[in-house]
């Protein structure tokens, strides 16, 4: 069986890092219910607001209410002395020139959601990272009506309810491994 080399993974990370139209999508405004169960969710687990289902690779975002262009993309590598914390690990930024030498197979993405970006009375439970999204406007914040093609859903995440308050500013970040 053939395998992808580290340089192949780095090449994919760099390709994604260079993409222009990368957006986060926010969706699932209705509560989690057992009918939202996925094939990846253990049979004994109850699906509810405190226990969302486990996403599956074939999943889609539902009830999407908006998209926002990613503010920051960085090529990163794990580094215990790094300055970027993601979950329980530390990472540091590397340049594109260093990527092959250091095996940079990770891309850090972040976006700030301002109080005025979307309605403040919405609650969301799904996040997705889209590449190649095509919009009918040049705005960084889009509604579904502003999108002619979502492009490719690269990452999907199911969460407990995230309540949008009128004065709430959020920073959402992901690290994608290629």
């Amino acid at each position: 069986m053939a395998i992808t080399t580290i340089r192949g993974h780095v090449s994919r990370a760099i390709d994604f890092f260079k993409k222009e139209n990368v957006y986060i999508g926010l969706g699932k405004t209705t509560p989690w219910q057992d009918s939202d169960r996925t094939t990846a969710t253990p049979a004994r687990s109850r699906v509810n607001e405190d226990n969302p289902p486990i996403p599956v690779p074939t999943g889609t975002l539902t009830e999407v209410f908006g998209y926002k262009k990613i503010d920051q993309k960085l090529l990163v590598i794990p580094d215990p002395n790094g300055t970027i914390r993601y979950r329980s690990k530390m990472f540091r930024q590397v340049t594109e020139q260093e990527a092959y030498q250091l095996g940079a197979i990770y891309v850090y993405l972040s976006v700030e959601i301002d109080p005025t970006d979307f309605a403040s009375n919405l609650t969301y439970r799904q996040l997705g990272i889209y590449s190649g999204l095509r919009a009918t406007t040049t705005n960084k914040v889009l509604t579904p009506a502003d999108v002619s093609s979502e492009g490719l859903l690269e990452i999907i995440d199911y969460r407990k309810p995230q309540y949008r308050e009128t004065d709430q500013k959020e920073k959402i970040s992901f690290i994608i491994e290629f």
Side-chain angles (χ1 to χ4, degrees):
M1 176 189 329
I3 62 168
T4 304
T5 66
I6 293 296
R7 291 178 68 81
H9 287 285
V10 172
S11 175
R12 281 287 303 124
I14 290 171
D15 286 346
F16 182 81
F17 170 73
K18 290 181 175 182
K19 289 183 184 280
E20 292 293 321
N21 294 330
V22 178
Y23 286 78
I24 190 165
L26 296 93
K28 184 68 172 139
T29 58
T30 58
W32 290 117
Q33 299 177 15
D34 209 53
S35 59
D36 294 313
R37 174 179 301 281
T38 66
T39 56
T41 307
R44 292 184 183 175
S45 294
R46 287 203 51 190
V47 173
N48 57 39
E49 290 286 82
D50 291 325
N51 191 35
I54 297 171
V56 292
T58 56
T60 59
L61 252 62
T62 59
E63 305 167 29
V64 177
F65 63 85
Y67 305 87
K68 185 161 184 189
K69 193 166 190 170
I70 294 296
D71 296 323
Q72 186 178 37
K73 287 187 293 183
L74 305 171
L75 288 167
V76 296
I77 60 170
D79 183 339
N81 298 315
T83 58
I84 299 167
R85 178 182 301 279
Y86 184 72
R87 300 200 174 169
S88 60
K89 289 188 175 180
M90 299 301 290
F91 293 81
R92 75 173 167 94
Q93 180 181 0
V94 298
T95 66
E96 192 177 332
Q97 293 73 28
E98 297 172 304
Y100 285 104
Q101 176 189 358
L102 299 174
I105 61 171
Y106 302 95
V107 177
Y108 170 83
L109 306 169
S110 72
V111 63
E112 287 192 359
I113 309 291
D114 294 318
T116 57
D117 286 343
F118 304 108
S120 60
N121 59 344
L122 290 174
T123 301
Y124 66 90
R125 294 159 181 80
Q126 291 179 331
L127 295 171
I129 300 294
Y130 292 89
S131 65
L133 183 140
R134 286 188 297 227
T136 58
T137 175
T138 58
N139 296 339
K140 289 186 174 193
V141 178
L142 306 171
T143 67
D146 299 323
V147 176
S148 61
S149 171
E150 287 182 331
L152 177 66
L153 178 61
E154 302 260 4
I155 298 291
I156 189 167
D157 189 21
Y158 294 176
R159 296 180 172 200
K160 292 179 182 180
Q162 305 293 307
Y163 303 98
R164 300 248 333 118
E165 301 292 337
T166 55
D167 61 350
Q168 180 177 334
K169 184 175 193 171
E170 299 175 76
K171 183 174 184 176
I172 301 171
S173 60
F174 286 96
I175 289 186
I176 302 176
E177 179 180 357
F178 290 90

